[in-house]
Amino acid sequence: MAGNIGRGVLDLEPPIDGEVIVLELSSYQTDLARALTPDIAVFTNLSPDHLDRHGGMGGYFAAKRRLFAEGGPDRAVIGVDDPEGRYLANQLSEGDGDARLIRVASRKLAGAGWDIVTKKGWLSETRKGRQAASIDLRGVAGLPGAHNHQNAACAYGVARALGLSPRLIEQALHTFRGLPHRSQRIAEIGGVAYVNDSKATNVDAAIKALSAFPRIRWICGGLEKDGGMDALSGAMDHVVKAYVIGREAAGFALHLGDLPHEVCGDMVTAVARAASEAEPGETVLLAPAAASFDQYDNFERRGEDFAAQVARLGDG
């Protein structure tokens, strides 16, 4: 694995026959790449991010679309819950049964194509109108929430395109423990779970994290991104209380409305306060909904700081 996930593409050794290389590409990379032709390309969804770089949502989508429209992958796995994904899928498909396109959705899809649907914790694969496989994702600890079920569906689509069997993929999903800083469960102390989703650097990513757990002590805040914070107002039903960090924590807290919250400023204070008030069965969740650059070099450092403060709780 390489790319935006942490290791530079050019640091990889030259590929060998039979090897699979997985690249997570940012819109910056697809925007600048002039020769990139993947065997399989994946588009999960589109939410506001990097708008200052791309001049708005249209430019942001155009940068991601280049991987498919100009890259010419042999097979495309595309989330079609969003209009941008549906547009992209319609552009690429040459007919209802075009096997080069694998559609991923959270609802049943019409047509006789190759579809993977996740609904109420179940993954279902359909080909030519017939169910090919079904997997229960609810017991996979490393994949909490509907957004991670979509991620699993996309990974399933890639693995199926590579020729792996549904049973083998299901077994592998149960070994997945989550990625660092992405809904990463790092500890359970006194019946309280601690989850690091520092990668939730925009509002949409934070909303998905907030929907994955029932009762949340939410650590949030940082450098706000273009696109606004309004969408947060309807996504905090699971939040018991918010603990706001960042240099402009007081300003960020204004977006929280009537939600109980506390301006903490730094991670040390936020973790300590959340831990002292959390009750068994609750989750202390770091999902900042903002960039990290006001206090950290990157989101990884922010997540590592959260994990370090939680480790101190365990030591105590």
Side-chain angles (χ1 to χ4, degrees), residues 235-272:
M236 297 183 286
D237 293 344
H238 296 177
V239 179
V240 178
K241 183 177 177 180
Y243 305 81
V244 190
I245 63 173
R247 292 180 183 173
E248 304 297 330
F252 189 98
L254 295 175
H255 298 291
L256 302 179
D258 295 332
L259 179 74
H261 64 269
E262 183 175 336
V263 175
C264 297
D266 57 49
M267 190 70 72
V268 175
T269 305
V271 171

Short mmCIF file of all heavy atoms in Angstrom, two decimals, residues 235-272:
data_model
loop_
_atom_site.label_atom_id
_atom_site.label_comp_id
_atom_site.label_asym_id
_atom_site.label_seq_id
_atom_site.Cartn_x
_atom_site.Cartn_y
_atom_site.Cartn_z
N ALA A 235 -26.53 16.25 12.78
CA ALA A 235 -25.82 14.98 12.86
C ALA A 235 -25.32 14.65 14.26
O ALA A 235 -24.49 13.76 14.42
CB ALA A 235 -24.64 15.01 11.90
N MET A 236 -25.84 15.34 15.26
CA MET A 236 -25.27 15.18 16.60
C MET A 236 -26.21 14.50 17.59
O MET A 236 -26.09 14.66 18.80
CB MET A 236 -24.82 16.54 17.12
CG MET A 236 -23.71 17.15 16.26
SD MET A 236 -23.05 18.72 16.86
CE MET A 236 -24.39 19.84 16.45
N ASP A 237 -27.16 13.72 17.06
CA ASP A 237 -28.13 13.06 17.93
C ASP A 237 -27.48 12.08 18.90
O ASP A 237 -28.01 11.83 19.98
CB ASP A 237 -29.17 12.31 17.08
CG ASP A 237 -30.05 13.25 16.28
OD1 ASP A 237 -30.07 14.45 16.60
OD2 ASP A 237 -30.72 12.78 15.34
N HIS A 238 -26.34 11.49 18.49
CA HIS A 238 -25.67 10.49 19.34
C HIS A 238 -24.67 11.11 20.32
O HIS A 238 -24.07 10.39 21.12
CB HIS A 238 -24.93 9.47 18.47
CG HIS A 238 -25.83 8.66 17.60
ND1 HIS A 238 -25.36 7.72 16.70
CD2 HIS A 238 -27.19 8.63 17.49
CE1 HIS A 238 -26.37 7.17 16.07
NE2 HIS A 238 -27.49 7.70 16.53
N VAL A 239 -24.50 12.43 20.24
CA VAL A 239 -23.47 13.08 21.05
C VAL A 239 -24.02 13.50 22.40
O VAL A 239 -25.01 14.24 22.49
CB VAL A 239 -22.89 14.30 20.32
CG1 VAL A 239 -21.83 14.99 21.18
CG2 VAL A 239 -22.29 13.89 18.97
N VAL A 240 -23.39 13.02 23.46
CA VAL A 240 -23.76 13.42 24.81
C VAL A 240 -23.18 14.79 25.13
O VAL A 240 -23.85 15.67 25.68
CB VAL A 240 -23.26 12.37 25.84
CG1 VAL A 240 -23.61 12.81 27.27
CG2 VAL A 240 -23.83 11.00 25.53
N LYS A 241 -21.91 14.98 24.74
CA LYS A 241 -21.23 16.25 24.99
C LYS A 241 -20.02 16.36 24.06
O LYS A 241 -19.41 15.34 23.70
CB LYS A 241 -20.77 16.35 26.46
CG LYS A 241 -20.11 17.67 26.83
CD LYS A 241 -19.75 17.70 28.32
CE LYS A 241 -19.02 18.99 28.69
NZ LYS A 241 -18.67 19.04 30.15
N ALA A 242 -19.68 17.58 23.67
CA ALA A 242 -18.52 17.83 22.83
C ALA A 242 -17.43 18.52 23.65
O ALA A 242 -17.72 19.34 24.54
CB ALA A 242 -18.90 18.70 21.64
N TYR A 243 -16.18 18.19 23.32
CA TYR A 243 -15.01 18.77 23.98
C TYR A 243 -14.14 19.37 22.86
O TYR A 243 -13.58 18.63 22.04
CB TYR A 243 -14.25 17.70 24.76
CG TYR A 243 -15.14 16.98 25.76
CD1 TYR A 243 -15.98 15.94 25.34
CD2 TYR A 243 -15.17 17.35 27.10
CE1 TYR A 243 -16.81 15.29 26.25
CE2 TYR A 243 -16.00 16.71 28.00
CZ TYR A 243 -16.82 15.69 27.57
OH TYR A 243 -17.65 15.05 28.47
N VAL A 244 -14.06 20.68 22.81
CA VAL A 244 -13.53 21.37 21.63
C VAL A 244 -12.06 21.73 21.83
O VAL A 244 -11.68 22.33 22.84
CB VAL A 244 -14.35 22.64 21.33
CG1 VAL A 244 -13.94 23.21 19.97
CG2 VAL A 244 -15.85 22.33 21.32
N ILE A 245 -11.24 21.36 20.82
CA ILE A 245 -9.82 21.68 20.83
C ILE A 245 -9.53 22.65 19.68
O ILE A 245 -10.41 22.98 18.88
CB ILE A 245 -8.95 20.42 20.69
CG1 ILE A 245 -9.21 19.73 19.34
CG2 ILE A 245 -9.21 19.47 21.84
CD1 ILE A 245 -8.28 18.56 19.05
N GLY A 246 -8.27 23.10 19.61
CA GLY A 246 -7.86 23.99 18.53
C GLY A 246 -7.61 25.41 19.02
O GLY A 246 -8.12 25.83 20.05
N ARG A 247 -6.82 26.13 18.25
CA ARG A 247 -6.50 27.52 18.62
C ARG A 247 -7.73 28.41 18.59
O ARG A 247 -7.80 29.41 19.31
CB ARG A 247 -5.43 28.06 17.67
CG ARG A 247 -4.07 27.40 17.84
CD ARG A 247 -3.05 27.97 16.89
NE ARG A 247 -1.77 27.28 16.99
CZ ARG A 247 -0.74 27.48 16.18
NH1 ARG A 247 -0.86 28.35 15.18
NH2 ARG A 247 0.39 26.80 16.34
N GLU A 248 -8.69 28.07 17.73
CA GLU A 248 -9.93 28.84 17.65
C GLU A 248 -11.09 28.02 18.20
O GLU A 248 -12.18 28.00 17.62
CB GLU A 248 -10.19 29.25 16.20
CG GLU A 248 -9.06 30.02 15.54
CD GLU A 248 -8.80 31.36 16.23
OE1 GLU A 248 -9.77 31.92 16.80
OE2 GLU A 248 -7.65 31.83 16.21
N ALA A 249 -10.86 27.36 19.31
CA ALA A 249 -11.87 26.46 19.87
C ALA A 249 -13.17 27.17 20.19
O ALA A 249 -14.26 26.63 19.95
CB ALA A 249 -11.31 25.78 21.12
N ALA A 250 -13.08 28.37 20.72
CA ALA A 250 -14.31 29.10 21.08
C ALA A 250 -15.14 29.39 19.84
O ALA A 250 -16.38 29.30 19.87
CB ALA A 250 -13.94 30.39 21.80
N GLY A 251 -14.48 29.75 18.72
CA GLY A 251 -15.19 29.99 17.48
C GLY A 251 -15.82 28.73 16.92
O GLY A 251 -16.96 28.75 16.44
N PHE A 252 -15.09 27.63 16.99
CA PHE A 252 -15.63 26.35 16.52
C PHE A 252 -16.86 25.96 17.33
O PHE A 252 -17.84 25.45 16.79
CB PHE A 252 -14.56 25.26 16.63
CG PHE A 252 -14.92 23.97 15.97
CD1 PHE A 252 -14.47 23.66 14.70
CD2 PHE A 252 -15.74 23.03 16.62
CE1 PHE A 252 -14.80 22.45 14.09
CE2 PHE A 252 -16.07 21.84 16.02
CZ PHE A 252 -15.61 21.55 14.74
N ALA A 253 -16.82 26.21 18.64
CA ALA A 253 -17.92 25.83 19.53
C ALA A 253 -19.22 26.53 19.16
O ALA A 253 -20.31 26.01 19.44
CB ALA A 253 -17.55 26.14 20.97
N LEU A 254 -19.14 27.66 18.48
CA LEU A 254 -20.36 28.38 18.08
C LEU A 254 -21.20 27.56 17.10
O LEU A 254 -22.41 27.75 17.01
CB LEU A 254 -19.99 29.73 17.45
CG LEU A 254 -19.33 30.75 18.39
CD1 LEU A 254 -18.93 31.99 17.61
CD2 LEU A 254 -20.26 31.11 19.55
N HIS A 255 -20.55 26.64 16.37
CA HIS A 255 -21.28 25.81 15.41
C HIS A 255 -22.07 24.71 16.09
O HIS A 255 -22.88 24.04 15.43
CB HIS A 255 -20.30 25.17 14.42
CG HIS A 255 -19.53 26.16 13.59
ND1 HIS A 255 -20.13 26.95 12.63
CD2 HIS A 255 -18.22 26.49 13.60
CE1 HIS A 255 -19.21 27.72 12.06
NE2 HIS A 255 -18.04 27.47 12.63
N LEU A 256 -21.86 24.50 17.37
CA LEU A 256 -22.47 23.37 18.06
C LEU A 256 -23.85 23.70 18.63
O LEU A 256 -24.54 22.81 19.13
CB LEU A 256 -21.55 22.89 19.19
CG LEU A 256 -20.14 22.47 18.74
CD1 LEU A 256 -19.31 22.03 19.94
CD2 LEU A 256 -20.21 21.37 17.69
N GLY A 257 -24.24 24.95 18.55
CA GLY A 257 -25.58 25.34 18.98
C GLY A 257 -25.86 25.00 20.43
O GLY A 257 -25.07 25.30 21.33
N ASP A 258 -26.98 24.30 20.68
CA ASP A 258 -27.41 23.98 22.04
C ASP A 258 -26.78 22.69 22.56
O ASP A 258 -27.07 22.28 23.70
CB ASP A 258 -28.94 23.83 22.08
CG ASP A 258 -29.65 25.14 21.77
OD1 ASP A 258 -29.07 26.20 22.04
OD2 ASP A 258 -30.78 25.08 21.23
N LEU A 259 -25.94 22.04 21.78
CA LEU A 259 -25.30 20.81 22.23
C LEU A 259 -24.41 21.09 23.45
O LEU A 259 -23.61 22.03 23.42
CB LEU A 259 -24.45 20.22 21.11
CG LEU A 259 -23.71 18.92 21.45
CD1 LEU A 259 -24.68 17.75 21.48
CD2 LEU A 259 -22.59 18.65 20.45
N PRO A 260 -24.52 20.33 24.52
CA PRO A 260 -23.60 20.53 25.65
C PRO A 260 -22.16 20.40 25.18
O PRO A 260 -21.79 19.46 24.48
CB PRO A 260 -23.98 19.39 26.61
CG PRO A 260 -25.39 19.06 26.27
CD PRO A 260 -25.51 19.26 24.79
N HIS A 261 -21.36 21.38 25.53
CA HIS A 261 -19.97 21.36 25.10
C HIS A 261 -19.08 22.09 26.08
O HIS A 261 -19.56 22.85 26.93
CB HIS A 261 -19.83 21.97 23.70
CG HIS A 261 -20.19 23.43 23.64
ND1 HIS A 261 -21.48 23.86 23.35
CD2 HIS A 261 -19.45 24.56 23.83
CE1 HIS A 261 -21.51 25.18 23.35
NE2 HIS A 261 -20.29 25.63 23.65
N GLU A 262 -17.78 21.86 25.93
CA GLU A 262 -16.78 22.49 26.79
C GLU A 262 -15.58 22.87 25.93
O GLU A 262 -15.08 22.06 25.14
CB GLU A 262 -16.35 21.50 27.88
CG GLU A 262 -15.36 22.07 28.88
CD GLU A 262 -15.09 21.08 30.01
OE1 GLU A 262 -15.95 20.21 30.27
OE2 GLU A 262 -14.00 21.17 30.61
N VAL A 263 -15.16 24.11 26.03
CA VAL A 263 -13.98 24.58 25.29
C VAL A 263 -12.74 24.16 26.06
O VAL A 263 -12.47 24.67 27.15
CB VAL A 263 -14.03 26.10 25.08
CG1 VAL A 263 -12.73 26.59 24.42
CG2 VAL A 263 -15.24 26.49 24.22
N CYS A 264 -12.00 23.20 25.51
CA CYS A 264 -10.84 22.64 26.20
C CYS A 264 -9.52 23.19 25.66
O CYS A 264 -8.54 23.29 26.40
CB CYS A 264 -10.84 21.12 26.07
SG CYS A 264 -12.26 20.32 26.86
N GLY A 265 -9.47 23.49 24.38
CA GLY A 265 -8.27 24.07 23.80
C GLY A 265 -7.27 23.05 23.31
O GLY A 265 -6.88 23.07 22.15
N ASP A 266 -6.83 22.15 24.20
CA ASP A 266 -5.80 21.18 23.80
C ASP A 266 -6.26 19.76 24.08
O ASP A 266 -7.24 19.51 24.78
CB ASP A 266 -4.47 21.47 24.49
CG ASP A 266 -4.60 21.48 26.01
OD1 ASP A 266 -5.19 20.54 26.57
OD2 ASP A 266 -4.11 22.44 26.65
N MET A 267 -5.52 18.81 23.51
CA MET A 267 -5.89 17.40 23.60
C MET A 267 -5.79 16.88 25.02
O MET A 267 -6.63 16.06 25.45
CB MET A 267 -5.00 16.57 22.68
CG MET A 267 -5.45 15.13 22.50
SD MET A 267 -6.98 14.99 21.53
CE MET A 267 -6.36 15.41 19.90
N VAL A 268 -4.78 17.31 25.74
CA VAL A 268 -4.61 16.84 27.12
C VAL A 268 -5.86 17.11 27.94
O VAL A 268 -6.41 16.22 28.62
CB VAL A 268 -3.39 17.53 27.78
CG1 VAL A 268 -3.29 17.14 29.24
CG2 VAL A 268 -2.11 17.15 27.04
N THR A 269 -6.35 18.33 27.85
CA THR A 269 -7.53 18.72 28.62
C THR A 269 -8.77 18.00 28.13
O THR A 269 -9.59 17.51 28.92
CB THR A 269 -7.74 20.24 28.53
OG1 THR A 269 -6.55 20.91 28.94
CG2 THR A 269 -8.91 20.68 29.40
N ALA A 270 -8.92 17.90 26.79
CA ALA A 270 -10.12 17.29 26.22
C ALA A 270 -10.25 15.83 26.62
O ALA A 270 -11.33 15.37 27.01
CB ALA A 270 -10.11 17.43 24.70
N VAL A 271 -9.17 15.07 26.51
CA VAL A 271 -9.23 13.65 26.86
C VAL A 271 -9.49 13.48 28.35
O VAL A 271 -10.30 12.64 28.76
CB VAL A 271 -7.92 12.93 26.45
CG1 VAL A 271 -7.89 11.52 27.00
CG2 VAL A 271 -7.80 12.91 24.93
N ALA A 272 -8.83 14.27 29.16
CA ALA A 272 -9.02 14.17 30.60
C ALA A 272 -10.46 14.47 31.00
O ALA A 272 -11.06 13.75 31.81
CB ALA A 272 -8.06 15.11 31.32
#
